[in-house]
Amino acid sequence: FPVTIGIHFLGLAFKGLPETNDLRNSPAMEIYDYFKNEEYIVSGWDAVASEVELKNSGVSTNHYDIKSTVAIILGNNNPKNLEELARLHVDSKVVFIFDPWDLVKEFSQTASFLEKGIAVSSLTTLQTGQ
């Protein structure tokens, strides 16, 4: 059986602050498309871009099917990404959260992620529960 690896993006618009729904030339969309083309299961959510706008850009918004998700990537610096991260109820299959914006380090649930063995990485640090 093929192994299915899911990656979920939080924040796909070009920038999170100031808020915009503009998906054009978004670095997060480029990374999303890369993983999609490599046949990973990818899904996404954005605080400002609507579900219709995301779908029109080729984004699967079925992010509550987190059963195959092993990695979560914060694609922009909107603090609402953390609210959505908290709502996802990350389960034991998630092993990695990549946060190039350093939003997660001040997040109240970071310690619980580490206790569950979920590594949290920014561009400069990697936190693990080990």
PDB file of all heavy atoms in Angstrom, residues 96-124:
ATOM      1  N   PHE A  96       5.489  17.314  12.851  1.00  0.00           N
ATOM      2  CA  PHE A  96       6.298  18.487  12.564  1.00  0.00           C
ATOM      3  C   PHE A  96       5.423  19.698  12.273  1.00  0.00           C
ATOM      4  O   PHE A  96       4.457  19.603  11.511  1.00  0.00           O
ATOM      5  CB  PHE A  96       7.184  18.182  11.345  1.00  0.00           C
ATOM      6  CG  PHE A  96       8.145  19.271  10.982  1.00  0.00           C
ATOM      7  CD1 PHE A  96       9.213  19.587  11.802  1.00  0.00           C
ATOM      8  CD2 PHE A  96       7.990  19.972   9.803  1.00  0.00           C
ATOM      9  CE1 PHE A  96      10.115  20.581  11.454  1.00  0.00           C
ATOM     10  CE2 PHE A  96       8.883  20.972   9.438  1.00  0.00           C
ATOM     11  CZ  PHE A  96       9.953  21.275  10.270  1.00  0.00           C
ATOM     12  N   ILE A  97       5.762  20.817  12.897  1.00  0.00           N
ATOM     13  CA  ILE A  97       5.136  22.108  12.596  1.00  0.00           C
ATOM     14  C   ILE A  97       6.252  23.051  12.183  1.00  0.00           C
ATOM     15  O   ILE A  97       7.206  23.272  12.943  1.00  0.00           O
ATOM     16  CB  ILE A  97       4.376  22.680  13.813  1.00  0.00           C
ATOM     17  CG1 ILE A  97       3.242  21.739  14.226  1.00  0.00           C
ATOM     18  CG2 ILE A  97       3.843  24.082  13.498  1.00  0.00           C
ATOM     19  CD1 ILE A  97       2.576  22.107  15.542  1.00  0.00           C
ATOM     20  N   PHE A  98       6.159  23.578  10.956  1.00  0.00           N
ATOM     21  CA  PHE A  98       7.156  24.527  10.475  1.00  0.00           C
ATOM     22  C   PHE A  98       6.564  25.924  10.516  1.00  0.00           C
ATOM     23  O   PHE A  98       5.532  26.187   9.907  1.00  0.00           O
ATOM     24  CB  PHE A  98       7.618  24.182   9.058  1.00  0.00           C
ATOM     25  CG  PHE A  98       8.663  25.131   8.539  1.00  0.00           C
ATOM     26  CD1 PHE A  98       9.864  25.298   9.206  1.00  0.00           C
ATOM     27  CD2 PHE A  98       8.430  25.858   7.393  1.00  0.00           C
ATOM     28  CE1 PHE A  98      10.837  26.182   8.735  1.00  0.00           C
ATOM     29  CE2 PHE A  98       9.381  26.746   6.906  1.00  0.00           C
ATOM     30  CZ  PHE A  98      10.592  26.902   7.577  1.00  0.00           C
ATOM     31  N   ASP A  99       7.239  26.803  11.236  1.00  0.00           N
ATOM     32  CA  ASP A  99       6.754  28.156  11.467  1.00  0.00           C
ATOM     33  C   ASP A  99       7.869  29.165  11.187  1.00  0.00           C
ATOM     34  O   ASP A  99       8.567  29.600  12.101  1.00  0.00           O
ATOM     35  CB  ASP A  99       6.281  28.273  12.915  1.00  0.00           C
ATOM     36  CG  ASP A  99       5.937  29.692  13.313  1.00  0.00           C
ATOM     37  OD1 ASP A  99       5.605  30.501  12.435  1.00  0.00           O
ATOM     38  OD2 ASP A  99       6.023  29.989  14.518  1.00  0.00           O
ATOM     39  N   PRO A 100       8.064  29.533   9.924  1.00  0.00           N
ATOM     40  CA  PRO A 100       9.141  30.477   9.616  1.00  0.00           C
ATOM     41  C   PRO A 100       8.912  31.870  10.196  1.00  0.00           C
ATOM     42  O   PRO A 100       9.820  32.685  10.204  1.00  0.00           O
ATOM     43  CB  PRO A 100       9.157  30.512   8.082  1.00  0.00           C
ATOM     44  CG  PRO A 100       7.800  30.084   7.673  1.00  0.00           C
ATOM     45  CD  PRO A 100       7.324  29.129   8.734  1.00  0.00           C
ATOM     46  N   TRP A 101       7.734  32.130  10.716  1.00  0.00           N
ATOM     47  CA  TRP A 101       7.388  33.457  11.247  1.00  0.00           C
ATOM     48  C   TRP A 101       7.592  33.558  12.753  1.00  0.00           C
ATOM     49  O   TRP A 101       7.373  34.607  13.338  1.00  0.00           O
ATOM     50  CB  TRP A 101       5.932  33.785  10.899  1.00  0.00           C
ATOM     51  CG  TRP A 101       5.707  33.672   9.434  1.00  0.00           C
ATOM     52  CD1 TRP A 101       5.170  32.598   8.762  1.00  0.00           C
ATOM     53  CD2 TRP A 101       6.061  34.618   8.439  1.00  0.00           C
ATOM     54  NE1 TRP A 101       5.163  32.837   7.417  1.00  0.00           N
ATOM     55  CE2 TRP A 101       5.700  34.070   7.183  1.00  0.00           C
ATOM     56  CE3 TRP A 101       6.640  35.881   8.479  1.00  0.00           C
ATOM     57  CZ2 TRP A 101       5.914  34.750   5.996  1.00  0.00           C
ATOM     58  CZ3 TRP A 101       6.839  36.549   7.298  1.00  0.00           C
ATOM     59  CH2 TRP A 101       6.478  35.982   6.072  1.00  0.00           C
ATOM     60  N   ASP A 102       7.950  32.463  13.415  1.00  0.00           N
ATOM     61  CA  ASP A 102       8.141  32.435  14.872  1.00  0.00           C
ATOM     62  C   ASP A 102       6.880  32.797  15.649  1.00  0.00           C
ATOM     63  O   ASP A 102       6.949  33.372  16.732  1.00  0.00           O
ATOM     64  CB  ASP A 102       9.291  33.351  15.308  1.00  0.00           C
ATOM     65  CG  ASP A 102      10.637  32.669  15.212  1.00  0.00           C
ATOM     66  OD1 ASP A 102      10.688  31.427  15.250  1.00  0.00           O
ATOM     67  OD2 ASP A 102      11.646  33.392  15.106  1.00  0.00           O
ATOM     68  N   LEU A 103       5.716  32.461  15.106  1.00  0.00           N
ATOM     69  CA  LEU A 103       4.466  32.703  15.825  1.00  0.00           C
ATOM     70  C   LEU A 103       4.269  31.683  16.945  1.00  0.00           C
ATOM     71  O   LEU A 103       3.769  32.014  18.010  1.00  0.00           O
ATOM     72  CB  LEU A 103       3.277  32.625  14.863  1.00  0.00           C
ATOM     73  CG  LEU A 103       3.180  33.668  13.756  1.00  0.00           C
ATOM     74  CD1 LEU A 103       2.019  33.338  12.826  1.00  0.00           C
ATOM     75  CD2 LEU A 103       3.017  35.056  14.340  1.00  0.00           C
ATOM     76  N   VAL A 104       4.672  30.453  16.697  1.00  0.00           N
ATOM     77  CA  VAL A 104       4.369  29.357  17.615  1.00  0.00           C
ATOM     78  C   VAL A 104       5.151  29.455  18.920  1.00  0.00           C
ATOM     79  O   VAL A 104       4.676  29.024  19.954  1.00  0.00           O
ATOM     80  CB  VAL A 104       4.614  27.983  16.934  1.00  0.00           C
ATOM     81  CG1 VAL A 104       4.457  26.840  17.903  1.00  0.00           C
ATOM     82  CG2 VAL A 104       3.654  27.804  15.762  1.00  0.00           C
ATOM     83  N   LYS A 105       6.335  30.065  18.893  1.00  0.00           N
ATOM     84  CA  LYS A 105       7.156  30.064  20.106  1.00  0.00           C
ATOM     85  C   LYS A 105       6.470  30.755  21.289  1.00  0.00           C
ATOM     86  O   LYS A 105       6.759  30.433  22.434  1.00  0.00           O
ATOM     87  CB  LYS A 105       8.532  30.655  19.847  1.00  0.00           C
ATOM     88  CG  LYS A 105       8.577  32.148  19.685  1.00  0.00           C
ATOM     89  CD  LYS A 105      10.007  32.605  19.481  1.00  0.00           C
ATOM     90  CE  LYS A 105      10.056  34.098  19.305  1.00  0.00           C
ATOM     91  NZ  LYS A 105      11.412  34.544  19.055  1.00  0.00           N
ATOM     92  N   GLU A 106       5.569  31.670  21.034  1.00  0.00           N
ATOM     93  CA  GLU A 106       4.830  32.347  22.107  1.00  0.00           C
ATOM     94  C   GLU A 106       3.448  31.727  22.328  1.00  0.00           C
ATOM     95  O   GLU A 106       2.684  32.212  23.149  1.00  0.00           O
ATOM     96  CB  GLU A 106       4.678  33.840  21.785  1.00  0.00           C
ATOM     97  CG  GLU A 106       5.987  34.573  21.575  1.00  0.00           C
ATOM     98  CD  GLU A 106       6.872  34.571  22.816  1.00  0.00           C
ATOM     99  OE1 GLU A 106       6.323  34.629  23.934  1.00  0.00           O
ATOM    100  OE2 GLU A 106       8.102  34.508  22.651  1.00  0.00           O
ATOM    101  N   PHE A 107       3.155  30.664  21.607  1.00  0.00           N
ATOM    102  CA  PHE A 107       1.836  30.032  21.637  1.00  0.00           C
ATOM    103  C   PHE A 107       1.685  29.189  22.889  1.00  0.00           C
ATOM    104  O   PHE A 107       2.580  28.425  23.255  1.00  0.00           O
ATOM    105  CB  PHE A 107       1.694  29.171  20.382  1.00  0.00           C
ATOM    106  CG  PHE A 107       0.335  28.597  20.129  1.00  0.00           C
ATOM    107  CD1 PHE A 107      -0.818  29.326  20.315  1.00  0.00           C
ATOM    108  CD2 PHE A 107       0.217  27.306  19.648  1.00  0.00           C
ATOM    109  CE1 PHE A 107      -2.063  28.793  20.043  1.00  0.00           C
ATOM    110  CE2 PHE A 107      -1.013  26.757  19.372  1.00  0.00           C
ATOM    111  CZ  PHE A 107      -2.154  27.502  19.571  1.00  0.00           C
ATOM    112  N   SER A 108       0.563  29.296  23.545  1.00  0.00           N
ATOM    113  CA  SER A 108       0.358  28.597  24.814  1.00  0.00           C
ATOM    114  C   SER A 108       0.377  27.078  24.672  1.00  0.00           C
ATOM    115  O   SER A 108       0.642  26.379  25.638  1.00  0.00           O
ATOM    116  CB  SER A 108      -0.969  29.034  25.443  1.00  0.00           C
ATOM    117  OG  SER A 108      -2.050  28.689  24.582  1.00  0.00           O
ATOM    118  N   GLN A 109       0.122  26.556  23.475  1.00  0.00           N
ATOM    119  CA  GLN A 109       0.074  25.107  23.309  1.00  0.00           C
ATOM    120  C   GLN A 109       1.397  24.494  22.843  1.00  0.00           C
ATOM    121  O   GLN A 109       1.487  23.296  22.653  1.00  0.00           O
ATOM    122  CB  GLN A 109      -1.035  24.727  22.339  1.00  0.00           C
ATOM    123  CG  GLN A 109      -2.405  25.013  22.896  1.00  0.00           C
ATOM    124  CD  GLN A 109      -3.497  24.436  22.018  1.00  0.00           C
ATOM    125  OE1 GLN A 109      -3.261  23.607  21.168  1.00  0.00           O
ATOM    126  NE2 GLN A 109      -4.709  24.886  22.253  1.00  0.00           N
ATOM    127  N   THR A 110       2.435  25.309  22.676  1.00  0.00           N
ATOM    128  CA  THR A 110       3.702  24.783  22.188  1.00  0.00           C
ATOM    129  C   THR A 110       4.223  23.669  23.087  1.00  0.00           C
ATOM    130  O   THR A 110       4.685  22.632  22.609  1.00  0.00           O
ATOM    131  CB  THR A 110       4.751  25.907  22.053  1.00  0.00           C
ATOM    132  OG1 THR A 110       4.253  26.873  21.136  1.00  0.00           O
ATOM    133  CG2 THR A 110       6.082  25.365  21.540  1.00  0.00           C
ATOM    134  N   ALA A 111       4.134  23.840  24.393  1.00  0.00           N
ATOM    135  CA  ALA A 111       4.623  22.808  25.312  1.00  0.00           C
ATOM    136  C   ALA A 111       3.872  21.498  25.118  1.00  0.00           C
ATOM    137  O   ALA A 111       4.471  20.417  25.149  1.00  0.00           O
ATOM    138  CB  ALA A 111       4.501  23.287  26.762  1.00  0.00           C
ATOM    139  N   SER A 112       2.559  21.568  24.884  1.00  0.00           N
ATOM    140  CA  SER A 112       1.798  20.332  24.676  1.00  0.00           C
ATOM    141  C   SER A 112       2.191  19.659  23.366  1.00  0.00           C
ATOM    142  O   SER A 112       2.199  18.438  23.273  1.00  0.00           O
ATOM    143  CB  SER A 112       0.294  20.578  24.739  1.00  0.00           C
ATOM    144  OG  SER A 112      -0.143  21.324  23.621  1.00  0.00           O
ATOM    145  N   PHE A 113       2.549  20.444  22.339  1.00  0.00           N
ATOM    146  CA  PHE A 113       3.043  19.844  21.100  1.00  0.00           C
ATOM    147  C   PHE A 113       4.327  19.078  21.375  1.00  0.00           C
ATOM    148  O   PHE A 113       4.507  17.947  20.937  1.00  0.00           O
ATOM    149  CB  PHE A 113       3.318  20.906  20.029  1.00  0.00           C
ATOM    150  CG  PHE A 113       2.108  21.624  19.527  1.00  0.00           C
ATOM    151  CD1 PHE A 113       2.194  22.935  19.118  1.00  0.00           C
ATOM    152  CD2 PHE A 113       0.863  21.001  19.457  1.00  0.00           C
ATOM    153  CE1 PHE A 113       1.092  23.614  18.636  1.00  0.00           C
ATOM    154  CE2 PHE A 113      -0.248  21.665  18.974  1.00  0.00           C
ATOM    155  CZ  PHE A 113      -0.141  22.973  18.575  1.00  0.00           C
ATOM    156  N   LEU A 114       5.225  19.704  22.116  1.00  0.00           N
ATOM    157  CA  LEU A 114       6.509  19.076  22.412  1.00  0.00           C
ATOM    158  C   LEU A 114       6.317  17.813  23.253  1.00  0.00           C
ATOM    159  O   LEU A 114       6.990  16.805  23.026  1.00  0.00           O
ATOM    160  CB  LEU A 114       7.434  20.066  23.117  1.00  0.00           C
ATOM    161  CG  LEU A 114       7.791  21.328  22.308  1.00  0.00           C
ATOM    162  CD1 LEU A 114       8.623  22.288  23.142  1.00  0.00           C
ATOM    163  CD2 LEU A 114       8.493  20.972  21.013  1.00  0.00           C
ATOM    164  N   GLU A 115       5.382  17.848  24.204  1.00  0.00           N
ATOM    165  CA  GLU A 115       5.087  16.670  25.016  1.00  0.00           C
ATOM    166  C   GLU A 115       4.579  15.518  24.165  1.00  0.00           C
ATOM    167  O   GLU A 115       4.813  14.351  24.471  1.00  0.00           O
ATOM    168  CB  GLU A 115       4.062  17.012  26.102  1.00  0.00           C
ATOM    169  CG  GLU A 115       4.609  17.888  27.203  1.00  0.00           C
ATOM    170  CD  GLU A 115       3.514  18.402  28.125  1.00  0.00           C
ATOM    171  OE1 GLU A 115       2.343  17.984  27.995  1.00  0.00           O
ATOM    172  OE2 GLU A 115       3.836  19.248  28.983  1.00  0.00           O
ATOM    173  N   LYS A 116       3.866  15.835  23.084  1.00  0.00           N
ATOM    174  CA  LYS A 116       3.346  14.807  22.183  1.00  0.00           C
ATOM    175  C   LYS A 116       4.398  14.336  21.182  1.00  0.00           C
ATOM    176  O   LYS A 116       4.111  13.492  20.339  1.00  0.00           O
ATOM    177  CB  LYS A 116       2.131  15.343  21.412  1.00  0.00           C
ATOM    178  CG  LYS A 116       0.925  15.621  22.263  1.00  0.00           C
ATOM    179  CD  LYS A 116      -0.185  16.205  21.408  1.00  0.00           C
ATOM    180  CE  LYS A 116      -1.386  16.596  22.246  1.00  0.00           C
ATOM    181  NZ  LYS A 116      -2.438  17.213  21.438  1.00  0.00           N
ATOM    182  N   GLY A 117       5.603  14.913  21.240  1.00  0.00           N
ATOM    183  CA  GLY A 117       6.655  14.526  20.315  1.00  0.00           C
ATOM    184  C   GLY A 117       6.586  15.237  18.975  1.00  0.00           C
ATOM    185  O   GLY A 117       7.196  14.800  18.001  1.00  0.00           O
ATOM    186  N   ILE A 118       5.854  16.340  18.917  1.00  0.00           N
ATOM    187  CA  ILE A 118       5.731  17.118  17.678  1.00  0.00           C
ATOM    188  C   ILE A 118       6.846  18.164  17.672  1.00  0.00           C
ATOM    189  O   ILE A 118       6.904  19.020  18.544  1.00  0.00           O
ATOM    190  CB  ILE A 118       4.354  17.800  17.581  1.00  0.00           C
ATOM    191  CG1 ILE A 118       3.239  16.763  17.608  1.00  0.00           C
ATOM    192  CG2 ILE A 118       4.280  18.666  16.329  1.00  0.00           C
ATOM    193  CD1 ILE A 118       1.843  17.355  17.756  1.00  0.00           C
ATOM    194  N   ALA A 119       7.735  18.073  16.701  1.00  0.00           N
ATOM    195  CA  ALA A 119       8.811  19.051  16.583  1.00  0.00           C
ATOM    196  C   ALA A 119       8.251  20.352  16.022  1.00  0.00           C
ATOM    197  O   ALA A 119       7.404  20.340  15.131  1.00  0.00           O
ATOM    198  CB  ALA A 119       9.905  18.518  15.661  1.00  0.00           C
ATOM    199  N   VAL A 120       8.713  21.471  16.568  1.00  0.00           N
ATOM    200  CA  VAL A 120       8.295  22.793  16.116  1.00  0.00           C
ATOM    201  C   VAL A 120       9.548  23.516  15.658  1.00  0.00           C
ATOM    202  O   VAL A 120      10.497  23.674  16.422  1.00  0.00           O
ATOM    203  CB  VAL A 120       7.595  23.588  17.250  1.00  0.00           C
ATOM    204  CG1 VAL A 120       7.210  24.978  16.765  1.00  0.00           C
ATOM    205  CG2 VAL A 120       6.383  22.835  17.766  1.00  0.00           C
ATOM    206  N   SER A 121       9.555  23.941  14.393  1.00  0.00           N
ATOM    207  CA  SER A 121      10.748  24.561  13.832  1.00  0.00           C
ATOM    208  C   SER A 121      10.423  25.900  13.202  1.00  0.00           C
ATOM    209  O   SER A 121       9.388  26.071  12.564  1.00  0.00           O
ATOM    210  CB  SER A 121      11.361  23.635  12.775  1.00  0.00           C
ATOM    211  OG  SER A 121      12.489  24.241  12.192  1.00  0.00           O
ATOM    212  N   SER A 122      11.341  26.842  13.389  1.00  0.00           N
ATOM    213  CA  SER A 122      11.277  28.116  12.673  1.00  0.00           C
ATOM    214  C   SER A 122      12.467  28.129  11.715  1.00  0.00           C
ATOM    215  O   SER A 122      13.104  27.109  11.503  1.00  0.00           O
ATOM    216  CB  SER A 122      11.354  29.281  13.658  1.00  0.00           C
ATOM    217  OG  SER A 122      12.640  29.344  14.226  1.00  0.00           O
ATOM    218  N   LEU A 123      12.765  29.263  11.169  1.00  0.00           N
ATOM    219  CA  LEU A 123      13.950  29.336  10.304  1.00  0.00           C
ATOM    220  C   LEU A 123      15.235  29.280  11.104  1.00  0.00           C
ATOM    221  O   LEU A 123      16.286  28.958  10.578  1.00  0.00           O
ATOM    222  CB  LEU A 123      13.921  30.617   9.467  1.00  0.00           C
ATOM    223  CG  LEU A 123      12.846  30.661   8.378  1.00  0.00           C
ATOM    224  CD1 LEU A 123      12.835  32.013   7.691  1.00  0.00           C
ATOM    225  CD2 LEU A 123      13.040  29.553   7.368  1.00  0.00           C
ATOM    226  N   THR A 124      15.155  29.567  12.401  1.00  0.00           N
ATOM    227  CA  THR A 124      16.374  29.631  13.211  1.00  0.00           C
ATOM    228  C   THR A 124      16.459  28.584  14.320  1.00  0.00           C
ATOM    229  O   THR A 124      17.530  28.339  14.832  1.00  0.00           O
ATOM    230  CB  THR A 124      16.515  31.017  13.862  1.00  0.00           C
ATOM    231  OG1 THR A 124      15.351  31.284  14.664  1.00  0.00           O
ATOM    232  CG2 THR A 124      16.662  32.099  12.805  1.00  0.00           C
TER     233      THR A 124
END
